[in-house]
């Protein structure tokens, strides 16, 4: 017979390992390529000392001259708090009782919940890798009618998201928190919420519910933010990635120029290029005539790719169309206190009754932060279109 006790044990003993493996696999080529460890985790923080610039420890001298004095490395300290990432499933008491005499029915019930959790966790983790840490999804431009609003960016995955609207005034109003996006219209660039609300939210930003300023410090923060890890980029160039204006023309020479510049000036060997699907088609069109498209599979990521100068080009749905990112994945690390674990109460139970409801919830948790140990070793090409008559990637497939 299935009881709440053995259901709890099943989640802990049988499901955790399988779910963890699926959550860590197939998120994105970038995620697969970076290191994950707890080496630099101290308490609630990630602490890393990086060497800023080249040292002078090696030099030439005369045979009878004094030996050179020791040269001190110039260190920069990175200290950032771990982010709290949660995933929750809910099983109603009725469903649990209905399956208590059938282990197969219980397995099907839990499998359905786990499938939804895995899909959501992969999706949001992948999104965070390209975010700026704030969690902002888009900005509201104007009200259309009822509960429908025009936004600056709209994506298919918005539909069904549980969100808050913030930054339009003094904070989240009572009727602007915990909203569901019921539908999106990409052509009209509108989102529709599950209910209307009185607040004027023009210029407000939409965030995943409760996530404002609590997400991973992703690539958006590295390339767009004024500050990174507490340092102002304009005052500390080590934290400023290289940016090249393509001057409204995307050419193969521009791509090679970035690769050469990074190796020549920053001793950074770019090993991954990331862009949107639309931009990847443009890159493929540029080099197709020279028969230099390599259709291969990267052993690190397990994903097929095309390449530029033997550097794989990957498409990611969360990378904006207006940029191409040149990354040295050896400089990145997902510092984590632990891998995905069930949140347990003081008695070791995973499933807990929801207050006031005939339902039980279980929560997976990961405490982690994405760290780039050499931001100046990364680059971005922006402001481009298909140039030189080499062809275009066509319209975005959405």
């Amino acid at each position: 017979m299935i009881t709440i006790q053995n259901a709890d044990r099943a989640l802990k003993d049988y499901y955790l390992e399988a779910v963890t493996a699926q959550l860590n696999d197939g998120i994105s080529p970038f995620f697969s390529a970076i290191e994950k460890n707890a080496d630099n985790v101290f308490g609630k923080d990630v602490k890393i000392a990086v060497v800023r610039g080249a040292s002078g420890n090696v030099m030439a001298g005369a045979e009878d001259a004094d030996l050179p004095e020791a040269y001190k490395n110039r260190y920069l300290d990175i200290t950032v708090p771990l982010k709290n990432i949660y995933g929750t499933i809910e099983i109603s008491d009725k469903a649990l009782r209905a399956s208590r005499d059938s282990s197969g029915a219980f397995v099907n019930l839990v499998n359905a919940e786990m499938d939804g959790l895995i899909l959501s966790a992969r999706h949001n983790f992948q999104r965070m890798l390209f975010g700026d840490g704030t969690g902002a999804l888009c900005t509201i431009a104007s009200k259309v009618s009822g509960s429908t609003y025009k936004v600056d960016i709209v994506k298919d995955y918005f539909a069904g998201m549980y969100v808050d609207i913030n930054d339009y005034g003094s904070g989240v109003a009572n009727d602007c928190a915990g909203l569901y996006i019921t539908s999106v219209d990409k052509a009209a660039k509108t989102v529709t919420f599950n209910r209307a609300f009185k607040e004027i939210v023009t210029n407000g930003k939409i965030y995943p519910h409760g996530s404002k300023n609590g997400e991973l410090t992703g690539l958006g923060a590295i390339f767009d933010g004024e500050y990174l890890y507490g340092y102002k980029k304009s005052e500390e160039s080590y934290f400023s990635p290289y940016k090249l204006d393509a001057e409204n023309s995307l050419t193969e020479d521009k791509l090679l120029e970035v690769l050469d510049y990074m190796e020549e000036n920053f001793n950074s060997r770019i090993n991954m290029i990331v862009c949107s699907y639309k931009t990847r088609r443009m890159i493929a069109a540029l080099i197709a005539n020279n028969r230099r498209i390599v259709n291969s599979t990267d052993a690190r990521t397990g994903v097929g790719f095309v390449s530029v100068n033997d550097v794989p080009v990957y498409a990611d749905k969360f990378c904006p169309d207006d940029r191409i990112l040149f990354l040295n994945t050896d400089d990145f690390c997902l510092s984590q206190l632990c891998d995905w674990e069930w949140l347990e109460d003081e008695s070791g139970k995973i499933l807990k009754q929801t207050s006031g409801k005939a339902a039980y919830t279980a929560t997976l948790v990961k405490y982690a932060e994405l760290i780039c140990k050499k931001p100046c070793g990364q680059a971005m090409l922006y402001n481009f279109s298909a140039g030189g008559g080499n062809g275009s990637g066509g319209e975005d497939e959405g």
Side-chain angles (χ1 to χ4, degrees), residues 13 19 37 53 70 79 108 120 153 232 258 293 312 336 374 385 389:
D13 297 337
V19 169
N37 60 50
T79 301
N108 290 337
S120 176
I153 300 170
K232 191 172 184 179
V258 176
I293 297 180
Q336 53 190 29
K374 189 178 179 181
S385 63

Side-chain angles (χ1 to χ4, degrees), residues 293-362:
I293 297 180
V294 179
N295 293 305
S296 236
T297 300
D298 189 341
R300 297 176 303 164
T301 64
V303 178
F305 62 87
V306 297
S307 66
V308 174
N309 203 33
D310 294 329
V311 178
V313 180
Y314 294 108
D316 194 293
K317 64 182 179 181
F318 292 103
C319 188
D321 285 334
D322 61 355
R323 60 185 55 189
I324 300 172
L325 305 182
F326 298 76
L327 308 174
N328 183 343
T329 58
D330 295 336
D331 294 332
F332 290 86
C333 176
L334 185 73
S335 294
Q336 53 190 29
L337 181 62
C338 61
D339 208 340
W340 292 98
E341 297 282 355
W342 289 114
L343 198 62
E344 301 179 6
D345 63 16
E346 60 275 6
S347 60
K349 292 181 180 178
I350 295 170
L351 282 168
K352 310 171 189 66
Q353 184 179 358
T354 305
S355 178
K357 293 185 179 181
Y360 298 89
T361 61

Side-chain angles (χ1 to χ4, degrees), residues 77-99:
D77 293 322
I78 296 175
T79 301
V80 292
L82 293 166
K83 302 299 173 59
N84 313 317
I85 305 169
Y86 303 104
T88 302
I89 63 170
E90 182 177 83
I91 301 175
S92 71
D93 183 65
K94 181 187 288 186
L96 192 61
R97 290 177 185 273
S99 61

Side-chain angles (χ1 to χ4, degrees), residues 227-280:
Y227 290 86
L228 184 63
Y229 310 136
Y231 291 90
K232 191 172 184 179
K233 293 179 181 178
S234 61
E235 297 176 356
E236 182 46 77
S237 60
Y238 185 84
F239 292 99
S240 296
Y242 174 65
K243 299 180 183 180
L244 178 65
D245 187 340
E247 300 177 339
N248 202 35
S249 177
L250 179 61
T251 65
E252 187 178 0
D253 185 62
K254 281 283 198 319
L255 299 173
L256 296 176
E257 180 182 343
V258 176
L259 294 174
D260 292 344
Y261 186 88
M262 295 307 294
E263 185 166 352
E264 181 180 2
N265 292 277
F266 296 100
N267 195 31
S268 179
R269 293 195 174 187
I270 300 300
N271 58 15
M272 179 178 290
I273 298 173
V274 183
C275 58
S276 69
Y277 286 91
K278 178 180 180 179
T279 303
R280 185 176 67 172

Side-chain angles (χ1 to χ4, degrees), residues 23-77:
L23 288 176
N24 290 332
D25 182 47
I27 290 179
S28 71
F30 173 64
F31 182 78
S32 298
I34 64 176
E35 186 179 0
K36 298 98 177 166
N37 60 50
D39 294 349
N40 300 299
V41 176
F42 299 88
K44 297 180 180 180
D45 296 329
V46 181
K47 297 183 179 182
I48 299 177
V50 296
V51 178
R52 192 252 186 271
S55 67
N57 288 331
V58 178
M59 60 190 70
E63 181 179 358
D64 56 352
D66 294 337
L67 294 175
E69 294 182 4
Y71 187 91
K72 294 182 179 180
N73 288 326
R74 293 180 294 165
Y75 289 102
L76 293 172
D77 293 322

